Amino acid sequence: MGEFKSLEKRLKNKGYKLTAPRRFLLGLLENNPGKSYSAQEIFDLLKGKGVDFSTIYRNLEMMAKEGILSAVQRENGTSSYELCLNHHHHHLICTDCGATRCINVCPMDLIDKSIWEGFTPKKHRFEIMGLCPECSKKNT
Amino acid sequence: MGEFKSLEKRLKNKGYKLTAPRRFLLGLLENNPGKSYSAQEIFDLLKGKGVDFSTIYRNLEMMAKEGILSAVQRENGTSSYELCLNHHHHHLICTDCGATRCINVCPMDLIDKSIWEGFTPKKHRFEIMGLCPECSKKNT
DNA sequence: AATATAAATGCAAGTATTTGCAATTACAAA
DNA sequence: TTTGTAATTGCAAATACTTGCATTTATATT
Ligand SMILES: [Mn+2]
Ligand SMILES: [Mn+2]
Ligand SMILES: [Zn+2]
Ligand SMILES: [Zn+2]
């Protein structure tokens, strides 16, 4: 619960206003650590709070850009977001039940630097789609 | 030019009909080897041939599923497609000019297998965004 | 060559996401 | 506290992408 206040502080330090929609959003993610949500899922969970879809999209994108959230690309191409609590990492995504698991290997650390040949890497995406242990068993 | 006929043959062998839209699509990709196109770009290039957007989307997705095309996720999340001429590979994508360069390292070959812990990997995505040599110089 | 038939297409309608803009709100300064 | 201001919001309109379905078309069979 201590994380929450610090997240709000981080937003303010970067010059953003602390609005109701942003509080709701951060509160939701903070209360479900490790889980990642799509814009649609967040919209549904915040029903009744009167937050518009466009506001959610805009804030998710903004917080991702600011390094507060990290975006995970799902199988179908839609992004889901989770708090950037710890360090940079990647995910295993179950194509059957949608569960994600964080892994702490990053291909950028494993790659031979000689492949760049003048290219300047800035960001990267790495996701592994497949079946989680539970769904692996079910679909046998 | 020999590749083209073999691509058509591959489609037929998999039980798909060889239609005009599919010929146009494959012809376009075949005549620009190494380049990758989004659905929108293909639609524009095929203007006048009377091919519908939905047909392009459906065929790109189908050919990707069949391993004839490989999808590259651009910075903004939209996919572009290129012929799967050779083996499985990944890309460097320039966020400034959009150019892509193929690299033949695959993180799946480098990763320690012990991270799966029961997860069954099926597909993966790996793309590196940054500045190509030319744009690196320009933006200095 | 004519015919049968399932696959594929184009169109239109349906979702999903993004954008422009006037009204509102957070918050800094008075 | 009140006020001024720019950031942010909600709404509506605009794009982008997807889907359902009647019609067309590729191709196997006769
Ligand atoms: Mn994670
Ligand atoms: Mn390539
Ligand atoms: Zn990484
Ligand atoms: Zn790979």
Side-chain angles (χ1 to χ4, degrees):
Chain A
M1 197 41 231
E3 197 65 38
F4 193 24
K5 273 271 174 276
S6 94
L7 284 171
E8 300 199 338
K9 214 165 266 170
R10 259 167 84 191
L11 266 189
K12 297 201 71 172
N13 286 344
K14 289 172 183 288
Y16 293 100
K17 290 182 178 177
L18 202 43
T19 63
R22 284 171 184 164
R23 283 170 188 283
F24 293 148
L25 217 171
L26 289 176
L28 173 63
L29 293 174
E30 160 98 346
N31 288 327
N32 303 79
K35 285 194 185 166
S36 68
Y37 297 97
S38 66
Q40 179 66 65
E41 287 160 353
I42 291 174
F43 180 74
D44 292 340
L45 288 167
L46 295 185
K47 274 265 170 66
K49 307 264 185 186
V51 182
D52 194 74
F53 229 106
S54 60
T55 303
I56 293 174
Y57 275 114
R58 281 190 275 231
N59 279 308
L60 287 175
E61 201 176 342
M62 178 273 278
M63 293 183 194
K65 198 174 63 202
E66 294 296 352
I68 291 165
L69 304 182
S70 67
V72 183
Q73 296 254 94
R74 295 194 179 160
E75 170 81 357
N76 61 19
T78 64
S79 304
S80 65
Y81 298 83
E82 63 174 21
L83 285 180
C84 261
L85 289 177
N86 312 310
H87 51 307
H88 170 76
H89 65 278
H90 298 276
H91 297 89
L92 307 180
I93 306 172
C94 180
T95 53
D96 205 55
C97 71
T100 68
R101 201 180 84 220
C102 312
I103 54 175
N104 53 20
V105 226
C106 173
M108 299 301 274
D109 299 333
L110 304 173
I111 277 183
D112 186 340
K113 272 71 190 159
S114 69
I115 68 161
W116 302 137
E117 296 180 7
F119 185 92
T120 311
K122 297 281 187 191
K123 307 177 28 176
H124 59 279
R125 218 180 346 236
F126 179 46
E127 276 118 20
I128 303 171
M129 276 76 69
L131 296 176
C132 71
E134 292 73 37
C135 294
S136 290
K137 281 169 206 151
K138 257 181 277 173
N139 301 23
T140 317
Chain B
M1 200 37 234
E3 197 65 36
F4 193 23
K5 274 271 173 278
S6 94
L7 284 172
E8 300 198 338
K9 213 165 268 170
R10 258 166 86 191
L11 266 188
K12 296 201 70 171
N13 286 343
K14 288 172 182 291
Y16 293 100
K17 290 183 178 178
L18 201 43
T19 64
R22 284 172 184 164
R23 282 169 189 282
F24 293 148
L25 217 171
L26 288 177
L28 174 63
L29 293 174
E30 160 97 348
N31 288 326
N32 303 79
K35 285 195 185 163
S36 68
Y37 298 97
S38 67
Q40 178 67 63
E41 287 161 352
I42 291 175
F43 180 73
D44 292 341
L45 288 166
L46 295 186
K47 275 265 170 64
K49 308 264 187 186
V51 183
D52 195 73
F53 229 105
S54 61
T55 302
I56 293 173
Y57 274 114
R58 282 189 274 230
N59 278 309
L60 287 175
E61 202 177 340
M62 178 275 276
M63 292 182 193
K65 199 174 62 201
E66 295 296 354
I68 291 166
L69 304 181
S70 68
V72 183
Q73 296 257 40
R74 294 195 180 158
E75 171 81 357
N76 61 20
T78 64
S79 304
S80 64
Y81 297 84
E82 64 174 23
L83 284 181
C84 261
L85 288 177
N86 314 308
H87 51 309
H88 170 75
H89 65 278
H90 298 277
H91 297 90
L92 308 180
I93 306 173
C94 180
T95 52
D96 206 55
C97 72
T100 68
R101 199 180 86 222
C102 312
I103 55 175
N104 53 21
V105 226
C106 173
M108 299 302 275
D109 299 333
L110 304 172
I111 278 183
D112 186 339
K113 272 68 191 162
S114 68
I115 67 164
W116 302 138
E117 297 179 8
F119 185 92
T120 311
K122 298 279 189 192
K123 305 177 28 175
H124 59 280
R125 211 164 12 216
F126 179 47
E127 276 117 21
I128 303 172
M129 277 76 70
L131 296 175
C132 70
E134 293 73 36
C135 295
S136 289
K137 281 168 203 153
K138 259 180 278 174
N139 301 22
T140 315

